[in-house]
Amino acid sequence: MCDNVWYSTVFLGARRVSNAQQMQGKENFATSESTKVWWQIYRKVYVSGSIAKWNLIVAKVDEKDFSPALLEKTSTLLRKNPEYYTIWNVRRRIFNNEFNNINRQADQGQLSEDNKYSQVLDIINLDLQFIFPLLLQYPKCYWIWNHRVWLLQQASKYLLADRARSLWEDELKLVSKMLGRDSRNFHGWGYRRIVVENLEDRALNGKSMARDEYDYTTKMIGQNLSNFSAWHNRSRLILCILDEERASTQERQEMLDEEIKFIHKALFDPYDQSLWFYHQHLLSTFDPDIAGASMMPDLSNESRLTYVKAEQEFIEDLIEDVEDSKWVYQALIECALIEAKLVNGLSEKMRTNIKVWLDKLKQLDPLRRGRWIDTEQRLLKDMP
Amino acid sequence: MSLVSGPGRGGQKTNALPDELALAIDQHVKYIQQLDTRKDELQYWMTEHLRLNGVYWGLTALHLMGHPNALPHDQTVQFVLECQNPDGGFGAAPGHDSHMLYTLSAVQILATINALEELEKSKHGGGDKVAAFVASLQDRETGTFAGDEWGEQDTRFLFCALLALAILDKTDLVDVNKAVAYVKACENFDGSYGRIPGAESHSGQVYTCVGALSITKRLDLANLDRLGAWLSERQLPNGGLNGRPEKLEDVCYSWWVLSSLAMIDKVHWIDKTKLTNFILRCQVTMHESRSRTTLISIDRIPSKVAFLTGLAIWLMYSTLFSVLQA
């Protein structure tokens, strides 16, 4: 069982089948009646074959018969449908059984330490290779991502730190490639955070990667401004960096100024909601009610007011070119409400302005009319 | 018609309104009723990993459409019990491993047809055993839940656990305060929620987190204005809702977003008429797709997240029901 040659056979065989399937996919089956009939026959055989295979796998696992043939059967089923979560579980049971065997043999002196590590590594590597094409084909399938994380966790558990680390490093490259293909992939960003967290782990000789990841968001935003996933990650990373580097008040303020400059530059597209959400996030820094959790918690109210005024001016400048962007009016209202908290009340002029902006919003953004009416009513009630 | 729906599938290609926008109730009821007779189709087996969810979706849609008895009661109970495993949890279908997602569906189905007491007849243990399985998946340190023995953690499972336990009246088996604190830790600057702390907001996760706060009566912890604003910005000019900023609309998000808005009493922050029309237009697309060859639908299965049968209809009716009730 410990001879890993059988794994290679299984996986190489698997790859050949996979190629054949790809070739098949390129043909157009729907071209004639006769192919339709053939397809129906094929389907029936295929269905009954899958069910038979399924039943066999369940039976074999019950009997704890974790043979190479069983692994091959799970490969076949998973290539047909990676959503079969139970089959992924079977696969992990097979590997767990194998890892236990290897470790037992090493403990009993039948296997050298080097051989132990290389056998575990082979199993993990081959399975990472097996699921790679599946991941490309089904990038939104939770179970594939889960299995990949599990494999990497086994590497951390069973291998020497350097070796495990290099596997995790390869994952960072892989996920960068995937996010290059689809820069908003929800799973991709989630997986990236997991990979980074593991690479930062001291057990793998890691250290903080917050700066690098922050730079990565800058790069991704540079390629596509409306990448909200990147803006989101950026908001979290900034807090990490400032905490980890025990940033002084001045350093925090420099970071804040940089971010404001960055978002102003991005807002040359004033219709993109990703940018405005981030802008709103930066404005939170000046809201005395929630500033405590921001990158600059101890700014004086006087400084906050100066910042808010500067934002108001920036937005008013924008309006001249983009009167039809609803976001500028929302941002102006946000600024006004923060200002009201800082100076303990709204001036009559501000109140009139807000009413004008809300009217503008009702007209530009009728879908959310109910929200603008609620805002208006609350304003009249809370700040008479 | 395809058995499969889900993100990327439920939208419509045209903005033109059909002559009549109405609920095709009879056709939908019939469709759900005959789902279980399609065992000679590949898709039936390709979606086996969602079977128990599918029964829940179909059943709920039938109830919303005023046909609560359209599925045979005894067979439904029997099928649910066949999905239970010795650990007390339920798998997607007989022979599949236990998982939180299916355990909740099982409890929901039985509760819907007033058959929770049937659990006591199960050879794998009654309601207490089910509740113990759910409770065993809580991470006692952080308060969140895993989906199964393999340990994936996600606010989806936290919600499923609290809901299943609430239905079984067994929330005392878990640390509710820690679960609530965990949800709070998943809140982002936009007022919305992600899978785990630090993960991006997503309307599906918002539904589960707001749902968890709602079940535990802790909605006071949410930033309702910011959350409501983010949710309302999911509506696009064609009336449909998307799942995240700058993404395309899909009928499945109609449910996640709208039900979240309903829980925080802000459904009026979006345009209900436009949403209703969007959903009904998707229905037309579903019917039109009957004319597509089965081959094409099969060919497409692996390219998308496979959501089973009935999900589209469930989403449609649940959402429409909420819109019309609000």
Side-chain angles (χ1 to χ4, degrees):
Chain A
M1 278 293 279
C2 287
D3 180 7
N4 58 46
V5 171
W6 62 265
Y7 283 108
S8 319
T9 321
V10 171
F11 285 108
L12 290 174
R15 220 167 291 142
R16 274 198 298 277
V17 177
S18 171
N19 289 341
Q21 281 181 341
Q22 279 169 13
M23 294 297 288
Q24 262 182 358
K26 284 176 190 156
E27 292 170 30
N28 186 358
F29 283 109
T31 45
S32 71
E33 278 306 310
S34 67
T35 43
K36 272 186 196 168
V37 173
W38 276 112
W39 177 244
Q40 276 169 7
I41 295 169
Y42 169 70
R43 216 175 66 199
K44 282 207 169 139
V45 174
Y46 181 68
V47 168
S48 52
S50 291
I51 299 165
K53 232 172 239 129
W54 172 277
N55 291 336
L56 207 67
I57 287 175
V58 173
K60 295 271 184 188
V61 175
D62 282 346
E63 291 165 19
K64 299 223 178 322
D65 175 17
F66 298 120
S67 65
L70 183 64
L71 185 70
E72 189 176 2
K73 288 196 185 80
T74 66
S75 303
T76 314
L77 270 174
L78 290 172
R79 260 193 306 268
K80 278 182 192 162
N81 186 0
E83 297 281 348
Y84 279 154
Y85 70 99
T86 304
I87 302 298
W88 287 111
N89 296 349
V90 169
R91 208 171 170 83
R92 286 191 283 271
R93 287 188 188 109
I94 296 172
F95 291 144
N96 269 342
N97 180 61
E98 195 56 23
F99 292 145
N100 287 340
N101 283 343
I102 293 171
N103 281 317
R104 198 179 49 240
Q105 292 190 2
D107 290 346
Q108 292 167 352
Q110 296 164 4
L111 203 64
S112 72
E113 282 289 293
D114 278 357
N115 273 339
K116 178 180 93 174
Y117 291 130
S118 75
Q119 289 196 9
V120 170
L121 182 63
D122 280 352
I123 292 172
I124 292 171
N125 260 332
L126 285 166
D127 215 37
L128 287 173
Q129 285 167 29
F130 164 71
I131 59 175
F132 180 65
L134 290 179
L135 209 52
L136 290 183
Q137 203 180 348
Y138 311 97
K140 291 182 178 174
C141 176
Y142 281 89
W143 310 112
I144 308 179
W145 289 103
N146 287 348
H147 187 68
R148 203 159 180 96
V149 173
W150 182 84
L151 283 170
L152 271 294
Q153 284 168 345
Q154 304 317 299
S156 295
K157 186 172 162 188
Y158 291 117
L159 297 176
L160 294 173
D162 282 357
R163 199 64 207 97
R165 184 173 181 82
S166 88
L167 287 181
W168 283 106
E169 278 167 354
D170 289 345
E171 291 307 288
L172 193 62
K173 288 177 206 145
L174 170 102
V175 80
S176 297
K177 258 188 207 160
M178 292 205 62
L179 289 174
R181 286 163 66 122
D182 173 8
S183 65
R184 291 295 306 280
N185 186 321
F186 191 67
H187 296 278
W189 281 97
Y191 189 64
R192 187 175 183 95
R193 283 184 286 267
I194 293 174
V195 171
V196 167
E197 197 186 320
N198 280 279
L199 281 172
E200 288 177 332
D201 193 339
R202 284 206 188 144
L204 293 185
N205 307 324
K207 58 178 183 7
S208 169
M209 294 171 64
R211 274 275 170 198
D212 296 340
E213 287 302 290
Y214 171 80
D215 291 343
Y216 180 73
T217 65
T218 311
K219 184 183 130 192
M220 293 304 275
I221 290 165
Q223 286 167 7
N224 174 16
L225 280 180
S226 114
N227 191 334
F228 187 70
S229 307
W231 288 107
H232 160 81
N233 227 22
R234 189 176 182 88
S235 74
R236 289 270 178 169
L237 288 162
I238 287 173
L239 295 178
C240 270
I241 291 172
L242 294 174
D243 283 349
E244 282 170 7
E245 296 180 0
R246 298 211 176 94
S248 65
T249 307
Q250 196 197 331
E251 284 162 340
R252 284 176 179 270
Q253 193 154 4
E254 280 166 13
M255 180 68 112
L256 174 64
D257 292 343
E258 280 298 309
E259 287 307 295
I260 292 176
K261 227 193 286 172
F262 190 60
I263 193 70
H264 282 181
K265 232 163 67 185
L267 276 170
F268 78 82
D269 177 3
Y271 297 92
D272 188 320
Q273 60 172 271
S274 305
L275 308 179
W276 287 107
F277 275 121
Y278 195 70
H279 185 260
Q280 184 195 38
H281 164 61
L282 292 181
L283 282 180
S284 308
T285 318
F286 317 124
D287 182 337
D289 290 344
I290 45 179
S294 75
M295 66 171 99
M296 193 76 208
D298 47 6
L299 207 57
S300 70
N301 273 1
E302 206 184 350
S303 301
R304 285 173 180 154
L305 197 58
T306 314
Y307 272 108
V308 172
K309 293 270 183 207
E311 282 317 291
Q312 279 166 344
E313 269 174 44
F314 169 77
I315 302 162
E316 274 160 10
D317 282 350
L318 266 185
I319 287 192
E320 289 174 17
D321 302 323
V322 288
E323 259 190 75
D324 58 340
S325 164
K326 70 162 197 138
W327 295 96
V328 292
Y329 302 102
Q330 282 178 232
L332 282 173
I333 293 172
E334 188 84 20
C335 286
L337 295 179
I338 295 174
E339 186 188 334
K341 285 186 195 175
L342 291 168
V343 299
N344 292 320
L346 272 180
S347 67
E348 201 47 52
K349 186 182 161 222
M350 239 351 164
R351 194 183 309 276
T352 317
N353 280 344
I354 293 180
K355 281 221 54 157
V356 172
W357 295 330
L358 281 170
D359 285 343
K360 206 73 187 162
L361 280 169
K362 284 181 215 164
Q363 175 204 331
L364 287 173
D365 189 23
L367 287 179
R368 282 158 282 269
R369 192 182 158 78
R371 184 170 143 206
W372 310 130
I373 291 172
D374 273 9
T375 313
E376 194 170 28
Q377 282 174 348
R378 209 185 36 207
L379 217 61
L380 291 174
K381 205 177 93 203
D382 294 351
M383 299 174 180
Chain B
M1 174 176 169
S2 169
L3 280 160
V4 183
S5 181
R9 289 179 164 268
Q12 83 283 6
K13 289 189 179 69
T14 165
N15 270 330
L17 282 176
D19 294 341
E20 271 182 56
L21 274 180
L23 303 177
I25 289 186
D26 289 347
Q27 290 173 63
H28 289 316
V29 171
K30 216 182 201 169
Y31 170 73
I32 294 170
Q33 282 178 321
Q34 53 88 47
L35 280 174
D36 206 44
T37 62
R38 295 170 69 169
K39 292 181 182 164
D40 62 331
E41 289 186 31
L42 180 65
Q43 287 195 27
Y44 183 89
W45 298 103
M46 291 294 256
T47 53
E48 196 184 32
H49 61 283
L50 286 164
R51 187 77 67 236
L52 204 51
N53 298 148
V55 175
Y56 166 70
W57 297 324
L59 184 73
T60 312
L62 290 171
H63 275 253
L64 291 173
M65 289 187 286
H67 290 261
N69 302 316
L71 290 185
H73 180 276
D74 292 351
Q75 271 169 265
T76 306
V77 172
Q78 191 194 339
F79 178 74
V80 171
L81 295 183
E82 278 171 11
C83 296
Q84 198 181 18
N85 291 307
D87 58 12
F90 290 78
H96 291 241
D97 289 350
S98 295
H99 195 285
M100 187 74 85
L101 293 171
Y102 314 107
T103 305
L104 172 63
S105 284
V107 171
Q108 284 174 310
I109 294 165
L110 294 178
T112 305
I113 57 174
N114 290 321
L116 270 178
E117 72 279 6
E118 299 282 344
L119 275 175
E120 306 310 320
K121 294 180 195 159
S122 162
K123 64 177 175 192
H124 297 309
D128 287 354
K129 188 85 185 273
V130 181
F133 168 80
V134 171
S136 74
L137 291 170
Q138 185 173 36
D139 179 334
R140 295 284 166 164
E141 246 173 68
T142 65
T144 191
F145 284 78
D148 61 13
E149 60 177 297
W150 299 97
E152 185 202 0
Q153 296 184 341
D154 189 312
T155 44
R156 284 181 303 152
F157 310 142
L158 184 150
F159 167 73
C160 291
L162 291 180
L163 181 51
L165 292 174
I167 294 173
L168 295 168
D169 199 16
K170 290 276 176 203
T171 44
D172 56 324
L173 290 183
V174 294
D175 191 333
V176 172
N177 289 336
K178 271 200 172 167
V180 167
Y182 188 86
V183 171
K184 183 68 186 167
C186 291
E187 186 184 27
N188 290 316
F189 71 76
D190 48 29
S192 295
Y193 302 85
R195 294 178 63 186
I196 52 172
E200 184 185 348
S201 300
H202 182 291
S203 59
Q205 309 293 148
V206 172
Y207 167 79
T208 62
C209 289
V210 174
L213 294 179
S214 177
I215 292 167
T216 53
K217 300 196 171 30
R218 290 310 310 271
L219 278 171
D220 57 297
L221 289 176
N223 183 342
L224 298 182
D225 280 341
R226 208 163 264 212
L227 169 63
W230 188 87
L231 286 167
S232 74
E233 297 296 350
R234 298 307 105 236
Q235 189 165 39
L236 300 172
N238 67 3
L241 301 166
N242 64 10
R244 291 184 287 153
E246 306 294 334
K247 300 284 281 183
L248 292 175
E249 73 286 351
D250 187 292
V251 75
C252 81
Y253 299 118
S254 301
W255 170 248
W256 309 122
V257 174
L258 185 80
S259 51
S260 302
L261 282 168
M263 284 187 271
I264 60 169
D265 206 14
K266 292 196 187 323
V267 172
H268 62 291
W269 280 22
I270 58 169
D271 187 324
K272 288 192 279 183
T273 313
K274 278 204 144 188
L275 175 61
T276 308
N277 288 341
F278 166 79
I279 297 169
L280 289 174
R281 283 200 306 266
C282 291
Q283 172 192 235
V284 172
T285 306
M286 284 159 61
H287 286 296
E288 281 169 352
S289 71
R290 281 174 192 279
S291 61
R292 288 195 321 208
T293 64
T294 321
L295 179 62
I296 290 171
S297 351
I298 285 172
D299 200 35
R300 281 187 182 177
I301 296 172
S303 65
K304 294 285 175 195
V305 180
F307 270 64
L308 170 87
T309 62
L311 174 59
I313 296 174
W314 171 71
L315 287 166
M316 213 175 80
Y317 280 100
S318 315
T319 315
L320 279 173
F321 189 72
S322 310
V323 175
L324 299 172
Q325 292 287 304

